[in-house]
Amino acid sequence: MSNGIYIDLETTGTDPERHRIIEIGAVVFRGGAEIAGFSELVFPGEDALVSADPRAMDTNKIDLAEVRRARPTVVVAAALRKFLEAYEGALYASPRWFEESFLKKAPWELTAWGDCVMQAVREEMIADNALRNAPDGKPKRPSLGEAAAFYGVTGCGPAHRSLSDARKTGRIHQEYLARRAVKMGGKAS
């Protein structure tokens, strides 16, 4: 049985060319159950903190004094790689493009990505008429909170913190996989 590893980031902004990771969380699921977790604040350097987007910092509400006491990016990236080596499996995120855009860069260099959890969830939510339309008239991309409500996922911890959101993404994906397996007459992977 393979592992699914769900990753979430908190960053100083949304542009991977200018902004940096300040918190990373990863949760490993096997057979529908959470078996391991990793969470750490990351100190990306003072320049990254000074140029942080105030909107991002207002969203994640992470205390920059705590970030300044965290281990440096290179050290946390090495610790994450060691954790991932112990639990080989595909990486998943919600949305994948965001986490991947930061984590494909040095020193993280993560490349073993699975499908985007939110894209699969979006399709199921559209089929169940559970999504509002965007201004262009097409169904919008669900937020993590909307997807959690749709799948009945609760109790993961505070929103916009990496471990909580990684756990929530993992539980949503496990629910999605279980429903898909029932529809196909098999077992979830």
Side-chain angles (χ1 to χ4, degrees):
M1 184 170 293
S2 65
N3 296 319
I5 304 167
Y6 300 87
I7 293 186
D8 188 81
L9 307 174
E10 297 303 327
T11 63
T12 59
T14 59
D15 181 351
E17 298 304 317
R18 295 181 320 154
H19 299 118
R20 298 293 174 257
I21 296 168
I22 57 171
E23 185 180 54
I24 187 162
V27 179
V28 181
F29 279 80
R30 181 183 301 145
E34 181 179 332
I35 63 167
F38 176 96
S39 179
E40 197 163 332
L41 289 171
V42 180
F43 179 60
E46 194 59 35
D47 289 346
L49 299 184
V50 169
S51 63
D53 182 334
R55 294 172 295 186
M57 302 314 297
D58 188 49
T59 298
N60 63 43
K61 299 189 182 347
I62 295 174
D63 182 353
L64 291 182
E66 288 182 50
V67 172
R68 286 181 174 100
R69 291 190 298 271
R71 298 193 301 172
T73 301
V74 176
V75 175
V76 177
L80 177 66
R81 276 194 300 282
K82 186 174 180 178
F83 173 80
L84 295 175
E85 287 171 7
Y87 299 100
E88 290 183 22
L91 304 173
Y92 297 94
S94 172
R96 175 185 151 179
W97 65 266
F98 182 79
E99 272 71 12
E100 185 178 22
S101 69
F102 281 88
L103 292 171
K104 69 182 179 184
K105 298 173 151 300
W108 307 96
E109 299 169 331
L110 301 182
T111 59
W113 292 93
D115 296 334
C116 177
V117 171
M118 217 34 76
Q119 185 59 39
V121 166
R122 180 178 184 268
E123 291 168 11
E124 186 163 21
M125 291 177 76
I126 288 170
D128 284 4
N129 293 316
L131 278 179
R132 297 182 319 263
N133 286 339
D136 65 4
K138 296 178 183 173
K140 67 180 210 61
R141 183 179 63 82
S143 69
L144 194 56
E146 289 169 328
F150 179 77
Y151 287 99
V153 171
T154 61
C156 296
H160 302 295
R161 290 306 299 257
S162 62
L163 184 61
S164 301
D165 287 352
R167 181 171 286 125
K168 191 177 296 179
T169 300
R171 289 183 184 171
I172 289 166
H173 197 224
Q174 296 305 304
E175 287 294 324
Y176 165 80
L177 293 171
R179 288 184 187 190
R180 188 177 78 175
V182 168
K183 288 177 186 175
M184 298 177 82
K187 291 184 178 181
S189 56

